[in-house]
Amino acid sequence: MTKMTKSLGIKDWLLRYKQLFLNPGLFFHDIRKEKEIGPVVIFVAVLSLIAAALNFVFALPSLIGQGASGVMQIVFSSIMIILEPIFTLLAIFLIAGVLYYLFRWIVSSKVDFAPLFKVVGYSRTIAVPYAIVSALLFFVFELATPGNLYASFASGAGILESTPTIVLFVLGGILSVASFIHVLYAMTSGVVLYENVSFGKSIGMILLATIVVIVAILLLSGLVTGMIFAVLGTALA
């Protein structure tokens, strides 16, 4: 078992993540005494930063030589390296918050926010290797077919018109599904352990919380976009 301490070396980080990835139930059992959310915030921020940086490195060859659009994508991706940990932690906070209130209102369970935040936060990092492998596959396929993959996936029109893009599309889909199931399983294992509820009820609460957050973000994005266009329309009128 990994010894959880406030100060972790690189080897401790790797052992901790290995246990989380391979046996989330045992991992969450081992960190039950970890009351503060500071360690999970640092853990999530560091892994999100690493994932964003690697994704940028793997995507860079496909963006170079794409003209103005490629330059804009490079600038945007560079900014996202810094913003990715912030957005990830915000999403974790929202899902944990909704999950907290769902348990209080629907299940009538006395829960604490910190354990739920730990479960959602640590579980979310399980998706990092899947995202890195997906980006690495794109990088390898892009080297084999320079320029074709970026153009196909950027437009969406040519994804199913060649063997490389079809293979990459299928593999990417498999990785996405596997990542979702793995993260959901880890979250459910943690919630079952900490909140003493059934596996099925935990899955239902987690999925509902995720849907609520996604819908709220979409509605907010639509509202903000509408306001921006309204302001621009007024200014240009």
Side-chain angles (χ1 to χ4, degrees), residues 19-122:
Q19 187 184 53
L20 169 63
F21 195 86
L22 298 178
N23 195 338
L26 180 60
F27 171 83
F28 286 120
H29 179 273
D30 283 357
I31 65 166
R32 294 188 71 166
K33 294 182 179 181
E34 187 180 281
K35 302 299 182 181
E36 301 176 353
I37 64 173
V40 64
V41 170
I42 296 174
F43 198 78
V44 170
V46 170
L47 287 178
S48 298
L49 191 62
I50 293 174
L54 289 176
N55 286 338
F56 174 74
V57 171
F58 292 145
L60 195 57
S62 66
L63 297 176
I64 295 175
Q66 296 296 329
S69 62
V71 173
M72 290 299 296
Q73 284 290 334
I74 291 174
V75 173
F76 177 76
S77 298
S78 300
I79 296 174
M80 283 305 300
I81 293 177
I82 305 300
L83 295 180
E84 182 68 23
I86 299 175
F87 289 152
T88 300
L89 286 169
L90 178 60
I92 291 171
F93 177 82
L94 291 175
I95 293 175
V98 173
L99 195 59
Y100 170 79
Y101 283 106
L102 285 176
F103 269 104
R104 288 182 65 90
W105 294 341
I106 298 179
V107 186
S108 297
S109 174
K110 294 183 178 180
V111 298
D112 293 324
F113 177 77
L116 290 177
F117 184 85
K118 285 196 304 181
V119 168
V120 177
Y122 281 123

Side-chain angles (χ1 to χ4, degrees), residues 1-234:
M1 295 185 184
T2 305
K3 184 179 180 179
M4 303 301 171
T5 60
K6 290 185 177 180
S7 178
L8 293 174
I10 295 178
K11 183 178 179 180
D12 296 314
W13 274 69
L14 293 175
L15 288 174
R16 167 180 273 204
Y17 191 75
K18 178 183 177 181
Q19 187 184 53
L20 169 63
F21 195 86
L22 298 178
N23 195 338
L26 180 60
F27 171 83
F28 286 120
H29 179 273
D30 283 357
I31 65 166
R32 294 188 71 166
K33 294 182 179 181
E34 187 180 281
K35 302 299 182 181
E36 301 176 353
I37 64 173
V40 64
V41 170
I42 296 174
F43 198 78
V44 170
V46 170
L47 287 178
S48 298
L49 191 62
I50 293 174
L54 289 176
N55 286 338
F56 174 74
V57 171
F58 292 145
L60 195 57
S62 66
L63 297 176
I64 295 175
Q66 296 296 329
S69 62
V71 173
M72 290 299 296
Q73 284 290 334
I74 291 174
V75 173
F76 177 76
S77 298
S78 300
I79 296 174
M80 283 305 300
I81 293 177
I82 305 300
L83 295 180
E84 182 68 23
I86 299 175
F87 289 152
T88 300
L89 286 169
L90 178 60
I92 291 171
F93 177 82
L94 291 175
I95 293 175
V98 173
L99 195 59
Y100 170 79
Y101 283 106
L102 285 176
F103 269 104
R104 288 182 65 90
W105 294 341
I106 298 179
V107 186
S108 297
S109 174
K110 294 183 178 180
V111 298
D112 293 324
F113 177 77
L116 290 177
F117 184 85
K118 285 196 304 181
V119 168
V120 177
Y122 281 123
S123 298
R124 175 63 181 79
T125 64
I126 288 177
V128 170
Y130 292 97
I132 293 175
V133 171
S134 181
L136 180 59
L137 284 174
F138 188 93
F139 173 74
V140 172
F141 275 72
E142 180 66 23
L143 292 180
T145 56
N148 295 334
L149 288 181
Y150 176 80
S152 298
F153 278 86
S155 64
I159 293 179
L160 301 179
E161 293 182 358
S162 67
T163 301
T165 55
I166 292 175
V167 172
L168 186 58
F169 183 75
V170 172
L171 290 177
I174 293 174
L175 285 171
S176 296
V177 173
S179 174
F180 175 79
I181 294 175
H182 198 168
V183 171
L184 179 61
Y185 171 75
M187 285 189 189
T188 304
S189 299
V191 171
V192 168
L193 177 66
Y194 291 158
E195 307 305 335
N196 195 29
V197 294
S198 68
F199 199 85
K201 186 173 292 184
S202 297
I203 292 179
M205 292 293 100
I206 292 169
L207 290 177
L208 182 57
T210 303
I211 292 172
V212 168
V213 171
I214 291 175
V215 171
I217 291 176
L218 291 176
L219 290 175
L220 182 60
S221 299
L223 178 62
V224 171
T225 302
M227 292 175 62
I228 292 175
F229 276 106
V231 170
L232 290 175
T234 303

